[in-house]
Amino acid sequence: MKSETEDTPLFHKPLSRRKLLGGAATAAVVLVQTAVGKTVQAAIPEAAVIPDDPTKKQGPLPSELGTRSAYEKPVRKPSDTSSRTPLQDLYGTITPADLHYERHHGGVPTINPEEYELYIHGLVEKPMKFTLSDLKRFPAFSRICFLECSGNFRSNPAGKITPQEIAGLTSQSEWTGVLLSTLFREVGIKPNATWFLAEGSDAAVMTRSIPVKKGLQDGMIAYAQNGEAIRPEQGYPARLFLPGWEGNTSVKWLRRIEFSDAPFMTREETSKYTEPVKDGKIRQFSFDMDARSIITFPTYPVQVEKGWIEIRGIAWSGRGKITKVEVSTDAGKTWQLARLQDPVLDKAHTYFRHLWQWNGTETEIMSRAVDETGYTQPTFNQLVAARGDNKGGYHFNPITTWLIQWDGQVLNKPDK
Amino acid sequence: MENLKFLKITNLSWFLAGVLLLTGACTASQTTSKSSASSLISAAPVTKADSPEWPSTFGFGKPATPQEIALLDIDVRPDGKGLPSGSGTVLAGKAVYAVKCAACHGKTGVEGPNNRLVSVAENEAAGTESNKEKTIGNYWPYATTLFDYIRRAMPFNAPGSLTNEEVYALTAFLLNANKIIPAEASINAETLPKVVMPAQKLFVPDDRKGGPEIR
């Protein structure tokens, strides 16, 4: 089984060197069989140079910074307001920091770490300010967690849409910093403090109100990501990080925390990150990200061939661990348990795999996640039934369906 | 590093005890005996590092003075706390809007190209089938938010450049354009928190509780 599933090319025609040189003019991602018979996804830029025999030429010397292979071009997909992680190009659960999704409201500020200060004040015993080096002196804490924008859903009536475009506003890193509970002890929170305002130092001076309870439970100030200083797009030099909660609450470039006895009702938590639900009501402070999964292979624009196919993807829940992922290869008539890749972490992307032999007839494949609270990822229609037609796009986590046509072309099946 | 002296739990302040009640139970292995408090937060286990053996203070950081805090403390609450002195009229706001806002939000706050600010007749009630555009009139629950957001983030190409008087005036203009206050109204720290927004009654707290229910 192993040899059939791991290294055997299943779904492509080997590309010749001539075809690579003469054919793809843009940086499209194509499936390529390497000289050793391994199948890889490769992006072929116009200026791609196929090297001469590498055994006959000295390569570059050791360098200060590593680079990706010239054949690998995973890229985010930017719009005016966000940039999406190429989920279909990743092989595991950690998102390389430069491919982590971006969403901000006034651009990326440039902040000198020497001048950075975090103020904590309001309903506290001792109003304090902390420099970046102060923050780094506290006992450090690391945790692998996903981050997801609550507006992480897109669709396309033609079905020509990738996992990146549908759900690329989620990424995962190992976050390192200081726990809020540690910092809060330094300032001494007053008994009537139930909320705090988190304020960024971007051009929007973005703010969110956060319950003190969440801060004490597992909130942290992160200054590092995947072992290195956090990237500017992710909040350099320090950001709030609230595991499992909608991304907007994890305020980046954090400059101020103010304790209060009530929420501040900022623009983000009133006019933006709230969602219309039934009976004309608007749901507010919907922080938790519900369980979700998405198949990342095979998906549009891949073309598959008859035979063994390992269906792969990621599943996650803001409420805890993923307990199972089920996969259907017959348009939802039957479901089978996918294998979960260890480790399965709390509030983290979990990789799943399901081995399947495609007989060449047209079908639909889909995945659904179940978390430890017993929540099962719903269908599009279940969500519409629960929220009404005017549901908006926040916290929208429907099962994603992929149509495999008779010719092997994979398309997203649009939700209706 | 004498401030790293470890304290016994009985010596910790009421606050630290509160922290432990709230967080200790979430620690995977060390403090599972305190699990009675875990229901306050979440059934999900959480990996935590913060330890009862740690000192009540590490002594890192510096006290923040009232003057330093005042420079940054720009937020405005629904009860009006944080509003500065000054005032603005609808008429004054109309002039500021034309110069600094209309290019992005349209001549009357409806045309765009960016966020629509003003409700139009068929679009006034949130949650209706026809309402796809969130506006100040049909979707913003608190008038104070308008002042706070304009002051901190607008105009987009020159955030933080407006005077408090200009922000009050723009707030007045936009509330009037949404038919929430009369044309002769003046907006200040006293009057703004008293404005009741049409959408305020529509907001309900998140009622998802985890578990199998789909909401």
Side-chain angles (χ1 to χ4, degrees):
Chain A
M1 292 295 279
K2 192 177 174 189
S3 64
E4 285 175 326
T5 58
E6 290 189 356
D7 283 322
T8 313
L10 299 169
F11 42 79
H12 63 89
K13 296 186 171 63
L15 289 172
S16 69
R17 176 176 156 174
R18 179 185 303 269
K19 203 165 177 180
L20 283 179
L21 283 169
T26 62
V29 173
V30 295
L31 294 162
V32 181
Q33 186 179 44
T34 64
V36 293
K38 198 165 181 181
T39 302
V40 296
Q41 284 192 346
I44 307 302
E46 191 158 15
V49 176
I50 303 302
D52 295 333
D53 181 353
T55 68
K56 300 290 186 281
K57 187 184 172 189
Q58 291 293 341
L61 295 173
S63 58
E64 288 188 330
L65 283 177
T67 57
R68 289 200 172 91
S69 163
Y71 297 97
E72 300 291 330
K73 301 276 183 190
V75 287
R76 288 190 292 217
K77 195 172 177 63
S79 70
D80 286 347
T81 55
S82 65
S83 195
R84 297 165 162 267
T85 292
L87 300 175
Q88 68 281 354
D89 297 334
L90 303 183
Y91 298 92
T93 59
I94 298 289
T95 309
D98 58 1
L99 297 175
H100 194 291
Y101 86 85
E102 274 182 72
R103 175 74 177 98
H104 30 75
H105 298 74
V108 179
T110 302
I111 298 169
N112 181 345
E114 299 291 322
E115 290 166 10
Y116 174 83
E117 283 179 321
L118 171 65
Y119 281 78
I120 306 183
H121 67 104
L123 293 177
V124 299
E125 302 291 343
K126 293 179 292 178
M128 300 280 292
K129 59 176 180 177
F130 301 95
T131 65
L132 185 62
S133 62
D134 288 334
L135 294 180
K136 290 178 177 174
R137 288 175 75 190
F138 284 103
F141 178 72
S142 288
R143 179 166 184 184
I144 294 171
C145 250
F146 77 88
L147 188 67
E148 183 180 21
C149 176
S150 76
N152 190 21
F153 175 77
R154 296 290 181 279
S155 63
N156 176 304
K160 296 191 170 178
I161 184 169
T162 64
Q164 177 172 25
E165 290 161 311
I166 296 167
L169 296 177
T170 186
S171 307
Q172 175 151 286
S173 294
E174 181 193 55
W175 305 97
T176 299
V178 53
L179 283 166
L180 283 181
S181 51
T182 306
L183 276 183
F184 288 0
R185 191 159 47 205
E186 294 293 317
V187 297
I189 309 169
K190 290 188 173 171
N192 55 339
T194 49
W195 291 78
F196 67 85
L197 183 78
E199 182 178 272
S201 43
D202 54 328
V205 204
M206 210 203 78
T207 43
R208 283 297 300 259
S209 300
I210 311 294
V212 169
K213 205 160 70 172
K214 173 64 174 179
L216 292 173
Q217 183 198 7
D218 60 359
M220 63 190 289
I221 309 274
Y223 48 72
Q225 174 185 20
N226 296 341
E228 63 176 349
I230 201 165
R231 300 255 169 156
E233 301 92 329
Q234 308 308 327
Y236 181 86
R239 74 176 302 166
L240 184 61
F241 188 82
L242 301 175
W245 280 22
E246 62 182 20
N248 184 256
T249 61
S250 285
V251 174
K252 297 189 277 193
W253 315 290
L254 191 68
R255 74 171 191 180
R256 190 165 72 91
I257 287 175
E258 180 180 358
F259 286 93
S260 168
D261 56 2
F264 292 70
M265 299 297 178
T266 72
R267 179 251 201 182
E268 302 297 322
E269 64 214 20
T270 55
S271 80
K272 292 295 155 190
Y273 291 91
T274 55
E275 57 270 7
V277 287
K278 278 195 162 172
D279 306 322
K281 298 295 184 186
I282 301 167
R283 184 158 69 195
Q284 194 182 27
F285 298 119
S286 40
F287 295 123
D288 289 309
M289 297 308 296
D290 286 320
R292 189 174 184 185
S293 69
I294 186 166
I295 291 169
T296 56
F297 180 86
T299 61
Y300 177 80
V302 165
Q303 188 155 12
V304 295
E305 286 190 2
K306 263 200 299 199
W308 289 106
I309 295 173
E310 189 180 59
I311 296 170
R312 302 166 189 150
I314 51 172
W316 63 97
S317 170
R319 299 183 193 275
K321 286 182 183 171
I322 289 295
T323 50
K324 64 178 177 181
V325 177
E326 295 169 308
V327 171
S328 176
T329 54
D330 57 9
K333 289 198 245 335
T334 62
W335 294 84
Q336 283 129 59
L337 273 185
R339 283 186 298 144
L340 300 185
Q341 174 72 60
D342 283 334
V344 178
L345 300 172
D346 187 40
K347 299 171 186 168
H349 284 171
T350 300
Y351 213 75
F352 67 86
R353 309 169 194 279
H354 177 69
L355 188 59
W356 172 53
Q357 194 166 28
W358 183 46
N359 63 12
T361 54
E362 197 160 287
T363 190
E364 292 169 14
I365 63 171
M366 54 189 84
S367 65
R368 67 181 179 204
V370 180
D371 71 19
E372 62 185 334
T373 74
Y375 180 89
T376 301
Q377 184 183 0
T379 63
F380 184 91
N381 288 334
Q382 281 176 306
L383 281 169
V384 173
R387 296 185 193 169
D389 290 334
N390 195 24
K391 61 206 171 343
Y394 292 120
H395 295 278
F396 209 67
N397 60 327
I399 290 170
T400 300
T401 304
W402 301 95
L403 169 68
I404 301 184
Q405 297 186 146
W406 62 270
D407 60 355
Q409 177 67 56
V410 185
L411 294 171
N412 176 241
K413 188 188 178 195
D415 298 300
K416 292 187 190 89
Chain B
M1 299 291 275
E2 53 190 323
N3 56 6
L4 280 171
K5 184 176 63 181
F6 281 20
L7 300 177
K8 289 203 168 126
I9 190 160
T10 48
N11 293 337
L12 296 177
S13 67
W14 65 267
F15 165 64
L16 178 53
V19 170
L20 289 169
L21 273 175
L22 285 167
T23 64
C26 299
T27 309
S29 58
Q30 291 176 327
T31 55
T32 45
S33 61
K34 292 190 181 70
S35 62
S36 60
S38 69
S39 58
L40 289 175
I41 299 162
S42 161
V46 171
T47 309
K48 276 189 69 74
D50 199 17
S51 164
E53 299 304 314
W54 288 0
S56 59
T57 176
F58 286 92
F60 307 153
K62 287 198 176 80
T65 66
Q67 295 75 21
E68 288 173 324
I69 292 167
L71 287 173
L72 294 176
D73 190 2
I74 59 170
D75 58 79
V76 175
R77 302 182 212 191
D79 62 6
K81 197 171 177 193
L83 280 170
S85 58
S87 66
T89 62
V90 174
L91 197 61
K94 190 174 186 180
V96 180
Y97 180 90
V99 175
K100 301 195 173 176
C101 316
C104 286
H105 295 288
K107 199 176 161 192
T108 68
V110 173
E111 303 86 348
N114 293 337
N115 297 30
R116 182 184 287 187
L117 304 177
V118 174
S119 299
V120 292
E122 73 273 17
N123 197 26
E124 275 172 355
T128 60
E129 187 60 35
S130 64
N131 173 39
K132 295 293 179 194
E133 287 270 6
K134 297 177 184 176
T135 66
I136 292 164
N138 72 19
Y139 206 85
W140 288 51
Y142 296 97
T144 49
T145 310
L146 200 49
F147 183 97
D148 179 71
Y149 182 68
I150 295 170
R151 180 161 68 161
R152 67 176 59 238
M154 290 289 119
F156 190 77
N157 60 349
S161 64
L162 300 172
T163 65
N164 289 335
E165 298 278 323
E166 287 175 314
V167 178
Y168 272 123
L170 282 171
T171 303
F173 170 72
L174 289 170
L175 290 172
N176 174 255
N178 279 283
K179 302 189 179 69
I180 296 167
I181 62 169
E184 63 278 11
S186 173
I187 285 297
N188 58 40
E190 288 289 308
T191 57
L192 184 61
K194 293 187 180 129
V195 174
V196 177
M197 299 293 277
Q200 190 176 333
K201 60 182 182 292
L202 303 177
F203 279 75
V204 292
D206 184 8
D207 58 354
R208 298 172 302 157
K209 295 181 179 69
E213 192 183 24
I214 291 158
R215 292 189 75 95

